[in-house]
Amino acid sequence: MKGVYALRLEIQSINPETLVCFLSGELDLSTVTNFRNKIDQFISNSRISNLVLDFKNLRFIDSSGLAALLGRYKQLAQRGGRVVITHCPSQVRKVLEMSGVTQVIEVTDTCTL
């Protein structure tokens, strides 16, 4: 059963190397498999090396969500690419900072790739 804050993803390929994903809701144990599968489907079937994650409407992230972010980072770093998180709400940013994710993945208000 999907919760009130189930994860919604809108994914756009803005060029052959860059994927933008708009997330809304919660990235947690109950939604992370869907997130991983959808992102990985784009990554594995293309030349995508950069991923922009727009967190403007993300309300919550847990450790399984953090692991999924780091897994996508690892995949794309092997291709010479990067992951950037934009428009991150303060409560989500705090989790990213406390977990050390911000030392690996860039978090910014705007992004130009």
Side-chain angles (χ1 to χ4, degrees):
M1 183 171 127
K2 292 189 176 189
V4 174
Y5 300 113
L7 183 68
R8 291 190 182 155
L9 301 172
E10 181 184 330
I11 301 172
Q12 301 173 357
S13 180
I14 60 172
N15 63 50
E17 293 86 27
T18 304
L19 193 66
V20 178
C21 181
F22 299 89
L23 293 86
S24 60
E26 298 182 354
L27 183 55
D28 59 16
L29 184 60
S30 67
T31 62
V32 73
T33 300
N34 182 46
F35 169 79
R36 272 195 316 259
N37 290 343
K38 287 190 176 184
I39 297 296
D40 289 352
Q41 182 179 8
F42 277 91
I43 292 172
S44 65
N45 296 324
S46 67
R47 298 184 334 206
I48 298 293
S49 58
N50 299 304
L51 175 61
V52 178
L53 299 167
D54 189 312
F55 278 11
K56 181 178 180 181
N57 296 308
L58 190 70
R59 298 171 188 249
F60 176 80
I61 188 168
D62 71 4
S63 60
S64 59
L66 297 174
L69 295 179
L70 293 171
R72 300 324 44 92
Y73 166 81
K74 184 177 177 181
Q75 280 183 299
L76 296 176
Q78 290 174 346
R79 296 181 181 191
R82 57 193 264 226
V83 175
V84 177
I85 297 170
T86 64
H87 305 112
C88 191
S90 62
Q91 71 273 17
V92 174
R93 184 184 287 261
K94 285 179 188 176
V95 173
L96 297 175
E97 290 171 350
M98 289 174 36
S99 66
V101 169
T102 56
Q103 294 182 16
V104 178
I105 298 174
E106 180 182 354
V107 179
T108 181
D109 291 331
T110 60
C111 179
T112 56
L113 286 177

